[in-house]
Amino acid sequence: MFGLGKSLQIGLTAFGGSVPQPTDEADLAATSIGQGQVLLSPLGEAMVAAAADTGTVHPPNLVTGTGTTSASGQLSTSVVSDLHEMMASVVDSGTAAGQGLPAGTYAKTGTAEYGTSNPLKIDAWLMGFRGNIAFAALVVNSSADGGPTCGPIVARFLTGL
């Protein structure tokens, strides 16, 4: 059996994800980068984005008016600063650049490959935050990667607020 870091397993599980134990070295490599059988919902992705924004893990709330959120975890200041820098560069010059995302948007893109077809099916995603809004977009069975697929969708959402 191949070991997967407890922090990855616990971290994704805390956000409503699933990280099965890898069965061989190839599966371990895929799992380590969020591929293989790793599952995380768009809500889980938005929770990750909110934690990256403020450094505090917030449980989700159904918003029917005004609501409050109780904090359940805290990231260090240096981790939050590093996440902000990396996520800003994704929008400014990385995989989400040129997709119409408004200034002040921080994001991370991704592409999940799956199935047995050749080429593999892909799901495109983009998560992040802008101001006090955390977001996640997922396009199942996409024809392109996360930035060009989800970037324009999120841009329309954020500029329409």
Side-chain angles (χ1 to χ4, degrees):
M1 193 61 74
F2 294 88
L4 180 63
K6 282 282 188 201
S7 60
L8 174 61
Q9 289 177 325
I10 292 169
L12 286 179
T13 302
F15 290 110
S18 169
V19 186
Q21 185 67 34
T23 57
D24 57 31
E25 288 184 7
D27 194 27
L28 174 62
T31 299
S32 297
I33 60 168
Q35 299 288 322
Q37 299 299 312
V38 174
L39 300 176
L40 189 59
S41 72
L43 175 60
E45 287 286 356
M47 290 172 59
V48 170
D53 176 20
T54 64
T56 302
V57 177
H58 299 278
N61 284 317
L62 175 61
V63 178
T64 58
T66 59
T68 60
T69 302
S70 61
S72 61
Q74 189 69 38
L75 301 174
S76 73
T77 304
S78 64
V79 168
V80 172
S81 177
D82 289 347
L83 287 170
H84 284 201
E85 182 180 336
M86 290 183 281
M87 293 173 76
S89 71
V90 168
V91 175
D92 295 339
S93 59
T95 52
Q99 301 305 319
L101 293 165
T105 301
Y106 298 78
K108 172 67 180 99
T109 65
T111 306
E113 299 173 320
Y114 62 96
T116 58
S117 62
N118 188 6
L120 295 174
K121 292 181 178 183
I122 59 173
D123 291 346
W125 58 267
L126 182 136
M127 64 84 150
F129 61 91
R130 179 172 180 255
N132 65 350
I133 302 292
F135 58 81
L138 168 69
V139 175
V140 176
N141 201 10
S142 173
S143 60
D145 296 339
T149 301
C150 298
I153 295 167
V154 170
R156 285 192 302 272
F157 168 74
L158 291 174
T159 58
L161 290 177

